[in-house]
Structure formats: C-alpha cells, structure tokens
Amino acid sequence: MNTAQNKAVVLRFNKECIEQGNVNTFNELVDDQVINHSAPAGMPNGPESMMYFIFEILRTGFPDIRVDILDQIAEDDKVTTRKILRGTHTGEFMGLPASNKQVSIMVIDIIRLNNGKYMEHWGMSNLPDILQELS
C-alpha cells in the first residue's frame, strides 16, 4: 500500500473505532500479531490491550468522544498522527467516577502498517494531566 492508502487506514481507524465504537472495523484493521508499545509495563501488548483501552476504558468514560486529526505524516509503512480526542466525562474512566467535565486528550501516535493492517503502535499523550484534572 502507498502512503496515502496507509493514512486513509489510520483515519478510518480513528473515526470508526474510536469515535463510533465499531468492533468489526477494529478486527478488520488490526492484525492479530500487532504490538502495542504504549501498553503499560507488564500488561498485555497485543490487540486485546488496544481493544480494551478503546472500548472498555476510553469509550466508557467518554461515550461522546470525537477525534480531530490535526496532522498526518506518512513515510514507507508508518503513519504519524497528531490528534485531539474530545469528550465529556460521563462514565467511569480509569477508576474515576463521571464528572461531566469536557476534556481534550492530545495524542501523537505512530502506526506501522502491513497490507492495510495495524502491526505496531507507539503513542504519547497528555493523559496523566487529564487524570489529574478529573480527580
């Protein structure tokens, strides 16, 4: 796949999986052998870690979550995305009860793809700041 196609896969993942909660799209776009380098130390780092975070933590805490893609840069088999996840904290999030606060989670991630599927994920965010803001 070329870089434009890879960028389209990452955009689709963000819109259909994170925003819409589409598990079928997740299963279509994430390889069974994916490595999530952003998983906490000692925790599973395969597709189950990504699925759990998106569907059981992020979308539970922020059911109205929206993803705004600010930048995407692609080279070879990697796509780097700078984005903002915006939502209202209306459900439990990482042990914190709903506060009804609006949050903006700033994220930069790198995805390595192969044949249109996520193979590796690296990410950085301001999640520690969000957790402190919500406590």
Side-chain angles (χ1 to χ4, degrees):
M1 297 185 75
N2 64 37
T3 56
Q5 291 168 318
N6 284 341
K7 288 167 72 172
V9 168
V10 173
L11 176 63
R12 182 177 172 212
F13 179 90
N14 279 276
K15 293 300 183 178
E16 292 183 25
C17 298
I18 296 175
E19 274 192 8
Q20 299 169 15
N22 190 324
V23 175
N24 292 329
T25 300
F26 182 93
N27 290 328
E28 179 185 336
L29 298 181
V30 178
D31 193 88
D32 291 342
Q33 300 301 312
V34 71
I35 299 171
N36 179 13
H37 297 283
S38 298
M43 300 301 289
N45 67 347
E48 68 279 0
S49 70
M50 293 173 66
M51 182 173 275
Y52 181 77
F53 182 76
I54 292 169
F55 298 103
E56 302 299 324
I57 296 178
L58 191 62
R59 290 194 45 79
T60 297
F62 308 97
D64 65 343
I65 196 157
R66 292 291 169 256
V67 182
D68 294 322
I69 303 294
L70 304 175
D71 294 299
Q72 274 192 316
I73 301 168
E75 183 176 313
D76 299 325
D77 61 352
K78 292 185 182 80
V79 177
T80 300
T81 305
R82 185 173 67 93
K83 59 191 175 187
I84 301 175
L85 283 62
R86 301 177 202 274
T88 310
H89 182 216
T90 57
E92 183 179 320
F93 180 69
M94 300 183 87
L96 298 172
S99 66
N100 292 313
K101 291 182 180 179
Q102 298 284 322
V103 301
S104 295
I105 305 170
M106 307 293 289
V107 178
I108 297 175
D109 60 20
I110 301 170
I111 306 300
R112 185 177 70 79
L113 299 111
N114 184 37
N115 294 322
K117 289 193 168 222
Y118 277 44
M119 296 303 298
E120 291 185 85
H121 167 264
W122 297 264
M124 296 177 55
S125 73
N126 67 334
L127 197 53
D129 296 334
I130 299 300
L131 290 170
Q132 187 170 351
E133 181 183 321
L134 295 175
S135 347

